[in-house]
Every structure is written in C-alpha cells, then in structure tokens.
Amino acid sequence: MITPLGLAIAWLLARRDWLGKSIVETLVSLPLVMPPVATGLILLKIFGRRGPIGGFLHDQLNVDVIFTWRAVLLALGVMSLPLLVRSARVAFEEVNPRFEQIARTLGAGNWRVFFTITVPLAARGILAGMILAFARALGEFGATIMIAGNIPGKTSTLSLAIFQDVQLGDDSHAFRLLGVSVVLAFTAVWFSEFLLRRRKTK
C-alpha cells in the first residue's frame, strides 16, 4: 500500500532539490521519533469525522476511516513509511546518474528510465526497505489502538491480540502469538540485512 508513495518520496528526496525539502524530510521521519500514541492522536484529529480529511470523506463519499480496517492500514502505513523511504532513498542515491543520462540520450523517456534503469539498480535497497517496513508494521501498537481500537475480527492486529490475551489472562495464547511475531520479525530483519550486505559487496 505504501510502496508507490514511499518510492515517489524517496526518489524526490534523492534526485531533486526544492524549497522546503528539509521540512518534508523531517515530516517523513517524525513517526520514527514521536511516541506512536502521539502519532495516532494526530491521525485521529485529521481523519476523524470532524477532521479535515475524515470529514470530507464522510460527507462527500460516505466513507469512515476511524475504527475501521482502513484505520489499521493507515496507522501501519504511516508508522512504517519512514523506514521504506530512508532505505529506498539511499538506494536511489547509489544509482549512478550517468546510466540514466545514457538511457535518455538513446531516446528513453523518464518513466522508462525509472522502471528499466533506476529501479532495477536500486532493487535490493528498495526490497530491504519494504521488508523493514513490514517488520515495523508487525510491531505497531500505539497509533493503531488510538485510531482503530481493538475490535475482534475487524481491527485487531498481532500486537493488539497479544495485548488483549495478556489483559484476559490467556498467557498461553499470548506466548504463541509472541512466538509468531518474533519469528516473522527476525526473518524480516535478517533478510533485509542480507540484501543490504549483498548490495554493499557488489
């Protein structure tokens, strides 16, 4: 869901200079340093029925975000986007612009250059960023519970399910879910580091 937006932001940060670039860089990175609950509260104000975006969606399209599956995707996307952008940006910056220029002199358009030259050369870094973003989304709790709640079968995530099991005293089920989350997170981080090591050795 966040991949197209993340790649667009990463490419702009890596390849273009414009007024306010540092502000965009800061805004993109904010979820990494802000308390997740604070990020969730901001999203709640923006996408609630009285918020600027949530109000428009509700009034014009009859679509609600808060306390729906859409809120889960929104929270996970916002919290994991910085990792994708940071990794993809570094990957784009490592692509030699000369290769892109040569392709353009041979008649390739900007989109063709991007998809046939830039993305393939940056593929390992992009994939590593996507995997890290997935791993971050697995552990997301604070922002999700703020804007999506914990509605069983509707907005519950792995982290929220573990929290609920602990609250209900079902420790055995909580530890089973914990095991699943540890395996998934370990695999994701290990594979992303593997890709980054492979990229550095080439």
Side-chain angles (χ1 to χ4, degrees):
M1 182 186 75
I2 64 171
T3 300
L5 176 62
L7 293 184
I9 295 173
W11 185 85
L12 287 172
L13 293 177
R15 287 285 194 254
R16 294 288 185 267
D17 289 315
W18 73 89
L19 186 64
K21 179 179 176 179
S22 61
I23 296 176
V24 174
E25 291 174 325
T26 304
L27 289 175
V28 170
S29 299
L30 270 182
L32 289 177
V33 295
M34 285 180 57
V37 173
T39 303
L41 182 59
I42 293 172
L43 294 175
L44 184 64
K45 292 298 182 182
I46 294 174
F47 288 91
R49 287 189 178 181
R50 297 182 180 179
I53 298 179
F56 172 81
L57 293 175
H58 177 74
D59 296 337
Q60 303 299 323
L61 304 176
N62 197 29
V63 172
D64 288 321
V65 175
I66 303 304
F67 301 120
T68 68
W69 61 268
R70 299 179 187 89
V72 176
L73 295 180
L74 176 64
L76 299 183
V78 168
M79 296 304 297
S80 58
L81 180 68
L83 293 176
L84 171 60
V85 171
R86 289 165 73 91
S87 182
R89 178 184 180 179
V90 172
F92 285 141
E93 288 174 342
E94 291 179 350
V95 174
N96 191 337
R98 182 172 175 81
F99 297 142
E100 298 169 329
Q101 293 169 1
I102 292 173
R104 290 191 183 95
T105 61
L106 295 175
N110 290 332
W111 286 107
R112 186 174 181 184
V113 169
F114 179 76
F115 285 109
T116 62
I117 304 295
T118 310
V119 170
L121 291 176
R124 292 186 186 278
I126 293 171
L127 184 56
M130 292 171 63
I131 295 171
L132 282 176
F134 170 75
R136 175 65 186 86
L138 282 177
E140 167 49 32
F141 179 85
T144 306
I145 202 166
M146 282 293 292
I147 68 170
N150 185 19
I151 306 172
K154 189 175 181 182
T155 65
S156 184
T157 65
L158 187 59
S159 298
L160 295 177
I162 293 173
F163 176 77
Q164 181 175 337
D165 286 340
V166 171
Q167 293 293 101
L168 297 176
D170 191 356
D171 291 347
S172 60
H173 191 251
F175 277 107
R176 285 197 295 272
L177 293 179
L178 173 62
V180 172
S181 66
V182 169
V183 170
L184 290 174
F186 179 88
T187 303
V189 173
W190 180 87
F191 190 50
S192 68
E193 290 296 324
F194 170 77
L195 290 173
L196 292 175
R197 286 195 300 270
R198 288 283 300 274
R199 188 181 71 189
K200 290 178 181 178
T201 58
K202 288 186 178 293

